[in-house]
Amino acid sequence: MSDMPPPPPPPPAEPAGQPAPQNPNTMAGLAHALLFTGFLGPLIVWLIGKDQSAFVDAEGKKALNFGILVSIAYVLVVIPVLGWLLWVAALACAIIFGIQGWNKASKGESYKYPFNVNLVK
């Protein structure tokens, strides 16, 4: 007979149906990166991550507010010439500021848009 103790039990498995925790920097960066979709992309990311992280909540709100502003500019496209130029400018701002926001947020730093409206607080 052996005086060896029994082997330790295996570690408990993660419960089924529970998603792996998201990195808040990635989620916050994604909110900024999806600005080209107007308000829809930042809204989805903010709704998913706002209760998981204060950083995602804060950065998601900033991206959502700017996304609302971009969406308003997208809607103004119905004005013939000025609307088209405004749409191009809004898309360029959404892409440029979205990349800058994603870059900062993915490093865990807060990003402040050069201009924004605070509709979602």
Side-chain angles (χ1 to χ4, degrees), residues 18-94:
Q18 292 282 349
Q22 296 288 330
N23 180 348
N25 297 351
T26 302
M27 291 290 287
L30 190 59
H32 293 290
L34 291 174
L35 275 174
F36 68 91
T37 67
F39 72 92
L40 192 59
L43 174 65
I44 292 170
V45 172
W46 177 66
L47 288 174
I48 291 171
K50 68 178 179 155
D51 296 327
Q52 298 173 2
S53 166
F55 185 63
V56 174
D57 184 40
E59 293 300 304
K61 284 180 190 175
K62 290 178 194 176
L64 178 57
N65 284 323
F66 194 73
I68 292 170
L69 195 62
V70 167
S71 294
I72 291 169
Y74 287 168
V75 170
L76 293 178
V77 170
V78 295
I79 304 169
V81 174
L82 181 62
W84 186 82
L85 293 174
L86 183 61
W87 181 83
V88 170
L91 182 61
C93 286

Side-chain angles (χ1 to χ4, degrees), residues 25 55 101-109:
N25 297 351
F55 185 63
W102 169 76
N103 190 25
K104 286 275 201 173
S106 65
K107 295 177 184 175
E109 301 171 15

